[in-house]
Amino acid sequence: MELLTAISLIEKGVRASKVQTWADFGAGDGLFTQALSTLLYTGSTINAIDKKLSAMNSLSLYTPGIALKKIGADFETYNFGQLDGVLMANSLHFIKNQLKFLQRLRTILIPNGQLIIVEYDSDKSNMWVPYPMSFETLNQNVIAGGFRGATKLHDVPSRFGRTNIYSAKIEF
């Protein structure tokens, strides 16, 4: 995926009118971390979290005025304190108990915090996507988790050709 495509997936979901602290859960090589950095207010911070710290070796932000913290940790259990926003791009599908995790996110995010999910629009698992979540299933789970619901922001064809990749903003 190209950076402009990643930006297009999340840009409608980011409210950036002040300095904020975000986390990118499952940052990998940092494509979506880069995308997020282009949308945040100068002085903001992004915590890029991935179990494999080495995956982020080459990650540096091109956006001036945005601080980057690389954290090698399991985002399912890491203690963050309060965050203004969480981005989960292709990482929720690795969590077995997604409902429990979504409920935990409510305690991490400040009131009216921002939660953006990017996932494959499918409920069929495979060896790379063990716990997939279509947009419809995501919406059901976030409501069960105490959120108001999910709003689809954008979708693009997957490079694997079987389904689309969607982005959603979760409403408190």
Side-chain angles (χ1 to χ4, degrees), residues 99-130:
L99 178 58
K100 182 179 176 182
F101 184 76
L102 288 167
Q103 290 169 329
R104 180 174 177 259
L105 285 178
R106 287 187 50 91
T107 67
I108 294 170
L109 290 163
I110 64 166
N112 294 317
Q114 302 172 76
L115 174 56
I116 299 173
I117 306 290
V118 179
E119 278 296 338
Y120 295 99
D121 201 358
S122 174
D123 290 316
K124 289 182 94 175
S125 64
N126 61 49
M127 62 190 288
W128 300 280
V129 183

Side-chain angles (χ1 to χ4, degrees), residues 45 55 66 143:
T45 299
I66 305 297
I143 290 170

